[in-house]
Amino acid sequence: MASQFQSFDSVNNPAAAKPRLAALREELRRQGLDAFAVPRADEHQGEYVPENAQRLAWLTGFTGSAGAAIAGLEKAAIFVDGRYTIQVREQVDPALFEPMELAGWAQEQWIATNLPKGGALGFDPWLHTPDSVAQLEKAVANAGGKLVPTQRNPLDAVWANRPAAPRAQVKPHALVFAGETAEDKLKRVRAALQQARCSALVISDPHALAWLFNIRGGDVGHTPLPLGYALIPMEGKAQIFLDPAKLNDEVRGLLKPLADLGGPQDLELAVVKQAKDGARIRLDSATAGFALKRLVEQAGGIADIGPDPIALMKAVKNPVEREGTRAAHRRDGAAVTRFLAWFNREAASGKLTEIAAAEALEDFRRETNALADLSFPTISAAGPNAAMPHYRVTRQSDRRIEHGIYLVDSGAQYNDGTTDITRTLAVGTPSAEMRDRNTRVLKGHIAIARAVFPKGTSGAQIDAFARQYLWQAGLDFDHGTGHGVGSYLSVHEGPQRISKLGTTPLQAGMILSNEPGYYKEGAYGIRIENLVLVEEREIPGGDRQMLGFETLTLAPIDLALIERNLLSQEEVAWLNAYHARVRETLGGQVDAETAGWLEQATRAI
């Protein structure tokens, strides 16, 4: 059956980049600009953006989830992080856009080298946060130029046949899944505003909007978001700014007691009105556009740039959401296990392709009759394609799955929870090097899963647990060990994460991924990912509040890729206990043939 939730058609058209860049340069000259900054983000700084906001992809051909470009009149550059160093070389013409690291110094260096003295670098004030504008401002000042907010985005001016803004219907998220009423959530938000001494909060993050008002939408792929804004004053009624076409009578009836409803065009006036007389307005440092800061300040208010208090509230799942995610993972685990058994039967033929495998996995999930969407496009990667951590298969790149390694990273959206799982599978007999690397990744995965740590510990403090065994062999991986996960929201949720940059203290109720990996360019890639729930731990004789992880994901880990001699007895015990739990939990939820395979796949070692 064809995929319902993802396309394998390539959105990359290398031949289109040259005339598009030329058209943009003509528009820059018309607007008196020497260069223009093109971020990957939309007005809400989202990871998944609607088609009408995919400006970076339209201009450059790069389709990764993080990046930026600066287009000058003579030269241009694209900036990506370590996840996309291979992909950017395959998708972007280096004669048009020089690939560079996505780091502040790299952009500063490019600006210093390429912006003429006294030159103007333009930017769309809705697409950059105040912090990113400050960085650009510093770089431009150091180069002797000026930073210019544009009235109209010059790229939009030359984007022929640009798609319309999305208008998907907003739906209620029932209390049986949400676990807390919107009224109670609003009280918590206002208490946080009072503590921060702010008179109002502008909600610019659609995830926060969806969570606070217990609604979901469909404006972007894979994350059930209604794109819009809200204004939460300390006193008076909240205001929600959504395209009226997204709201049916049922949703209007649910929202009207909570907030006044307006269209997107009403946002600016409402912010200006709220900001008068020196009011302090909290703007989310992660998602609020610079344009909002300018509106507040021009109206005489104080733009209080800081974290949206909803982000942390949303990250800590309530008891209903915790039970929901457990149910979602049992359901999803059964579907994934059916896929793994099917893959074990089919892959040996050498006829299976990456797309065929991705479609089969989606079919198994659809057969749960509970699948709302995939939580991201499936990463179905064979051989050297698996060496790209965020590889996305297209009909042009679709590779036959043959002897070696196959990596599948996938997830699902259910009303009661969001899942994300990666399994690395051997096809044929893996090499000794593959088993060594996979086992080192597994050891790091187990180290995170078994970690016990005091309350107040951040993800940065435990990130090295996952890397230590790779480091011992002179190896590493260029992505975080874990990201936060929402409750029928984004599969990539902050502020919690396990990475070198993860400074938010972990709290009981947070969901994160545990996904160390290893990638050998041009050969293969390895990643083992489960989701984990932070839980309180009682340590006999201890005098500190301690936390640990409950592993949520349930599916076998390929034993053919494990070098037993590299595992300690404690690690073997963890793996055997995990597999016993997988077998006991899922054995009765799958068909007899899969159950027989599962017995063997989860045997004790």
Side-chain angles (χ1 to χ4, degrees):
M1 189 184 296
S3 172
Q4 180 180 337
F5 297 113
Q6 58 186 327
S7 170
F8 302 108
D9 295 324
S10 175
V11 296
N12 174 264
N13 181 4
K18 188 172 183 178
R20 289 173 180 176
L21 180 60
L24 175 61
R25 284 171 167 157
E26 282 302 310
E27 180 64 19
L28 294 183
R29 292 186 181 95
R30 195 188 70 78
Q31 293 194 23
L33 300 172
D34 296 283
F36 184 68
V38 184
R40 162 63 171 67
D42 64 357
E43 292 86 342
H44 307 281
Q45 305 298 313
E47 177 182 3
Y48 296 110
V49 299
E51 289 186 7
N52 71 311
Q54 293 180 11
R55 297 175 177 89
L56 184 66
W58 180 85
L59 179 66
T60 69
F62 175 69
T63 60
S65 63
I70 300 179
L73 296 178
E74 301 297 332
K75 293 183 179 180
I78 183 165
F79 306 87
V80 300
D81 64 30
R83 296 171 295 172
Y84 296 112
T85 51
I86 301 173
Q87 181 176 330
V88 72
R89 294 199 299 267
E90 294 185 347
Q91 290 188 322
V92 178
D93 183 350
L96 298 176
F97 296 90
E98 179 186 3
M100 300 183 73
E101 283 290 323
L102 184 61
W105 66 268
Q107 294 190 51
E108 288 181 21
Q109 183 185 47
W110 191 92
I111 290 169
T113 304
N114 295 283
L115 188 68
K117 198 75 172 176
L121 173 66
F123 75 100
D124 185 329
W126 285 98
L127 303 182
H128 298 261
T129 65
D131 280 352
S132 65
V133 171
Q135 292 173 5
L136 283 174
E137 204 163 37
K138 180 181 176 183
V140 169
N142 289 340
K146 56 184 177 180
L147 189 64
V148 179
T150 59
Q151 290 295 320
R152 186 187 181 192
N153 189 313
L155 188 149
D156 294 352
V158 299
W159 187 347
N161 302 314
R162 183 182 171 205
R167 305 172 85 181
Q169 287 294 295
V170 173
K171 300 176 182 178
H173 188 54
L175 189 61
V176 68
F177 301 123
E180 184 181 6
T181 66
E183 289 88 349
D184 287 342
K185 291 179 179 180
L186 277 164
K187 290 176 185 176
R188 286 209 278 153
V189 171
R190 287 193 166 108
L193 287 177
Q194 185 174 31
Q195 189 173 10
R197 298 182 178 180
C198 291
S199 62
L201 165 69
V202 176
I203 296 178
S204 49
D205 181 357
H207 302 84
L209 176 68
W211 178 88
L212 178 60
F213 292 101
N214 287 340
I215 55 176
R216 298 294 187 266
D219 285 338
V220 300
H222 312 300
T223 305
L225 293 181
L227 295 182
Y229 292 86
L231 179 64
I232 314 299
M234 272 298 298
E235 297 180 6
K237 206 170 182 182
Q239 294 173 268
I240 297 174
F241 307 96
L242 286 168
D243 187 328
K246 299 178 184 180
L247 304 176
N248 60 28
D249 290 342
E250 178 193 8
V251 175
R252 285 180 183 276
L254 290 171
L255 293 178
K256 277 185 176 180
L258 302 168
D260 292 329
L261 304 179
Q265 72 281 358
D266 301 316
L267 171 66
E268 294 188 27
L269 182 60
V271 170
V272 168
K273 185 177 179 180
Q274 186 68 45
K276 285 182 177 178
D277 303 320
R280 181 178 292 273
I281 311 297
R282 171 59 59 91
L283 301 178
D284 181 20
S285 55
T287 65
F290 177 80
L292 288 169
K293 176 178 183 288
R294 195 166 55 165
L295 277 173
V296 170
E297 293 176 343
Q298 288 177 350
I302 299 170
D304 186 87
I305 311 297
D308 181 339
I310 294 172
L312 197 55
M313 297 177 192
K314 176 167 53 68
V316 179
K317 276 55 180 180
N318 61 47
V320 170
E321 291 172 319
R322 297 180 202 186
E323 282 305 310
T325 196
R326 292 185 183 106
H329 279 88
R330 289 192 294 270
R331 182 187 312 119
D332 198 61
V336 171
T337 297
R338 290 181 62 207
F339 165 78
L340 294 175
W342 171 87
F343 183 87
N344 185 67
R345 296 191 300 270
E346 298 292 325
S349 70
K351 297 179 181 178
L352 195 61
T353 68
E354 294 169 334
I355 288 179
E359 290 178 332
L361 178 51
E362 185 177 325
D363 288 345
F364 286 118
R365 283 191 164 115
R366 280 209 302 267
E367 288 172 11
T368 66
N369 295 318
L371 183 66
D373 197 347
L374 301 182
S375 55
F376 57 95
T378 298
I379 298 172
S380 178
N385 288 342
M388 293 181 277
H390 280 218
Y391 168 73
R392 182 173 177 180
V393 59
T394 66
R395 301 198 187 281
Q396 288 73 27
S397 70
D398 190 20
R399 187 181 181 90
R400 197 172 294 277
I401 299 170
E402 297 174 321
H403 185 91
I405 274 180
Y406 170 71
L407 184 152
V408 58
D409 184 350
S410 68
Q413 293 282 12
Y414 304 103
N415 281 310
D416 51 2
T418 300
T419 71
D420 184 0
I421 173 175
T422 307
R423 289 296 181 263
T424 303
L425 309 174
V427 180
T429 303
S431 68
E433 179 185 282
M434 290 174 179
R435 291 197 305 274
D436 175 273
R437 303 305 192 249
N438 183 81
T439 307
R440 292 179 185 277
V441 170
L442 176 61
K443 286 168 73 70
H445 178 96
I446 294 172
I448 294 292
R450 295 180 65 230
V452 180
F453 45 91
K455 187 176 180 180
T457 299
S458 70
Q461 291 173 280
I462 62 174
D463 178 76
F465 290 16
R467 302 176 188 272
Q468 56 185 312
Y469 305 104
L470 289 165
W471 287 350
Q472 289 170 2
L475 311 168
D476 202 357
F477 54 94
D478 292 325
H479 56 74
T481 298
H483 53 81
V485 179
S487 180
Y488 188 40
L489 274 173
S490 178
V491 75
H492 294 144
E493 176 183 87
Q496 74 278 24
R497 56 178 167 169
I498 303 172
S499 85
K500 297 169 186 177
L501 303 176
T503 57
T504 298
L506 303 184
Q507 296 184 40
M510 289 179 168
I511 300 173
L512 302 106
S513 66
N514 171 11
E515 52 177 312
Y518 171 74
Y519 310 92
K520 185 173 183 179
E521 185 174 345
Y524 61 88
I526 293 163
R527 189 161 62 253
I528 302 171
E529 177 186 21
N530 287 340
L531 298 192
V532 295
L533 174 68
V534 183
E535 62 179 2
E536 295 178 354
R537 288 284 176 86
E538 291 288 337
I539 307 296
D543 58 9
R544 298 288 181 95
Q545 285 184 278
M546 302 297 289
L547 301 171
F549 295 119
E550 171 194 343
T551 295
L552 297 167
T553 305
L554 298 166
I557 294 168
D558 194 349
L559 298 177
L561 278 164
I562 295 174
E563 187 60 60
R564 168 64 181 82
N565 293 335
L566 287 178
L567 296 178
S568 69
Q569 284 303 115
E570 291 82 3
E571 290 164 341
V572 169
W574 181 93
L575 181 63
N576 287 341
Y578 174 72
H579 273 159
R581 180 176 160 229
V582 168
R583 184 171 61 248
E584 292 161 8
T585 304
L586 303 182
Q589 298 187 44
V590 297
D591 58 275
E593 187 175 14
T594 299
W597 173 84
L598 183 61
E599 283 285 335
Q600 180 66 13
T602 58
R603 68 189 182 277
I605 63 170

